[in-house]
Amino acid sequence: NTHRKLVKVKKAVCVYLAPTAPVKEYTLKSARAHCRAGYVKKTKWVKKRNKHRKLVKVRKTVCVYLAPKVGAPNQAAPLEAAPPGAAPPAVGWGYNGRGELGPGYRSGILATAAPVIGVAPIKQIAAAGEWGAALLTDGTIKAWGGNVAGQLGDGTTETKLTPVAVKGLAGPVTEIATAGEHAIALLSNGTVETWGNNIFGQLGNGTDGGGKEDCKVLCRSLTPIQVPGLSGVVAVFASGADDAAQLNNGTVVAWGENKSGQLGDGTQVEKDSPTLVHGLSEVKTLALGSESTLGGHMLALLKDGTVEAVGLNTEGQLGDGSTVDSLVPVAVNGLSGVTAVSASFTHSLALLGD
């Protein structure tokens, strides 16, 4: 202590808890009960003493651990090679509490890649929150995992452990973007459809759920709906609770949450319909870095290789030499020859041509 004497004090520490080997089998209380993930139900005959103390055979329902083929806990079965010329299968790894990895079951952590079943051939894959989605080469979409806001687009709010088709798309899809609990799809005719959570107007259909998690109406769409008045779109983007679309004339429209002015329309007012981003033209691509309820920022890579940014700047993520938010796009200082950009909530990155 301050008097140089040794005294006892409490210290909070984090201790590593080594994973334990799974129980080989356990007994079900009822034959109708379900086994935990990774176990299969089996019935077997066992010897048991009856009330007369005689050994008799009785039927017993148990759950038996189904060991992964690779052998170690939390490892997935080996990946099957794709046929020559075919798109590779989708895989996932990490947390799988809602089946978001798509292996067909719930689990804790999968530390190695597991195949996503039932999705091939694939053009694009996307992950968000506790779910995932894949755009197939035939222009359809399949999704899996958590579905509390209808983000799987199958008309329900039930979790799906295996991929299900997104229902009601008006035509073939060329690109998808996902964020939080909603999705956005670019159709081949240049229009856009959205589905899932709409608490902050992120579906872009002129409605919203008032920013309330417990809202009862206008909060979500369980199947795709068209974003009214939007056409000529060449790319779509999603992050947090806001979306953006790049148009074929080089301009950008955005909608959804606007807490930090990340929609670039000069305000911090939520937009339930696509709104033109001020001052942007000759845009090559975008990157969004937002978190629902917290705000965010947008990066725009222009065709001349320069970058403009708008929105939250508390960590200097706009790159304009300040930490002051901007409600309209500003130039990122000293950048040229940029070929790609990426954004997170607190920082930004740019790939240079050299």
Side-chain angles (χ1 to χ4, degrees):
N1 62 12
T2 55
H3 303 293
R4 307 295 296 168
K5 290 184 178 181
L6 283 174
V7 293
K8 288 184 177 181
V9 295
K10 284 185 178 180
K11 182 181 179 182
V13 297
C14 294
V15 180
Y16 175 68
L17 185 63
T20 57
V23 178
K24 289 185 178 179
E25 87 174 31
Y26 64 93
T27 304
L28 281 177
K29 294 181 180 179
S30 167
R32 295 183 178 180
H34 297 288
C35 294
R36 297 194 295 263
Y39 288 80
V40 293
K41 188 186 293 187
K42 290 187 177 181
T43 300
K44 65 180 184 178
W45 292 94
V46 296
K47 290 183 177 181
K48 185 179 180 180
R49 293 188 183 275
N50 63 13
K51 62 180 180 180
H52 303 294
R53 306 296 295 167
K54 289 184 178 182
L55 281 174
V56 294
K57 285 185 176 181
V58 295
R59 193 163 59 180
K60 182 180 181 183
T61 304
V62 297
C63 291
V64 179
Y65 177 65
L66 188 64
K69 294 179 182 179
V70 178
N74 291 338
Q75 276 192 318
L79 304 182
E80 297 181 0
V91 298
W93 59 94
Y95 188 67
N96 192 42
R98 292 289 183 274
E100 52 262 61
L101 302 186
Y105 55 86
R106 284 189 177 100
S107 64
I109 296 171
L110 290 181
T112 55
V116 179
I117 61 175
V119 284
I122 298 167
K123 178 181 179 181
Q124 182 190 353
I125 197 163
E130 297 179 323
W131 63 290
L135 170 60
L136 306 188
T137 55
D138 64 1
T140 62
I141 301 172
K142 287 192 174 183
W144 58 91
N147 196 25
V148 66
Q151 61 264 41
L152 303 189
D154 67 335
T156 78
T157 56
E158 299 171 0
T159 295
K160 299 298 187 301
L161 302 183
T162 55
V164 294
V166 174
K167 295 181 178 179
L169 289 165
V173 175
T174 60
E175 185 178 83
I176 58 172
T178 61
E181 296 167 345
H182 80 285
I184 177 172
L186 171 60
L187 275 58
S188 60
N189 63 2
T191 62
V192 171
E193 296 191 355
T194 55
W195 61 95
N197 200 338
N198 194 38
I199 290 177
F200 295 103
Q202 53 264 59
L203 298 189
N205 69 333
T207 69
D208 65 77
K212 298 178 181 179
E213 292 288 346
D214 60 348
C215 69
K216 303 299 181 185
V217 295
L218 306 178
C219 329
R220 62 192 182 192
S221 178
L222 307 186
T223 55
I225 56 176
Q226 186 173 359
V227 178
L230 191 55
S231 61
V233 177
V234 296
V236 290
F237 307 85
S239 181
D242 52 88
D243 301 321
Q246 179 185 344
L247 306 185
N248 55 15
N249 62 3
T251 62
V252 174
V253 293
W255 61 94
E257 189 179 22
N258 197 24
K259 183 175 183 178
S260 306
Q262 67 263 38
L263 302 187
D265 69 327
T267 77
Q268 291 175 280
V269 179
E270 177 184 301
K271 298 297 184 297
D272 299 337
S273 300
T275 304
L276 187 67
V277 178
H278 285 189
L280 283 184
S281 61
E282 297 297 310
V283 173
K284 181 179 179 181
T285 190
L286 301 172
L288 309 185
S290 301
E291 292 284 350
S292 181
T293 74
L294 299 178
H297 71 292
M298 177 194 301
L299 300 178
L301 171 59
L302 306 187
K303 292 179 181 178
D304 64 2
T306 61
V307 178
E308 297 200 7
V310 61
L312 188 65
N313 198 29
T314 54
E315 310 297 331
Q317 52 265 63
L318 299 190
D320 66 341
S322 78
T323 55
V324 179
D325 296 354
S326 179
L327 305 184
V328 294
V330 294
V332 177
N333 290 348
L335 272 188
S336 62
V338 177
T339 60
V341 289
S342 184
S344 82
F345 180 61
T346 58
H347 72 287
S348 306
L349 294 173
L351 178 64
L352 304 182
D354 56 2

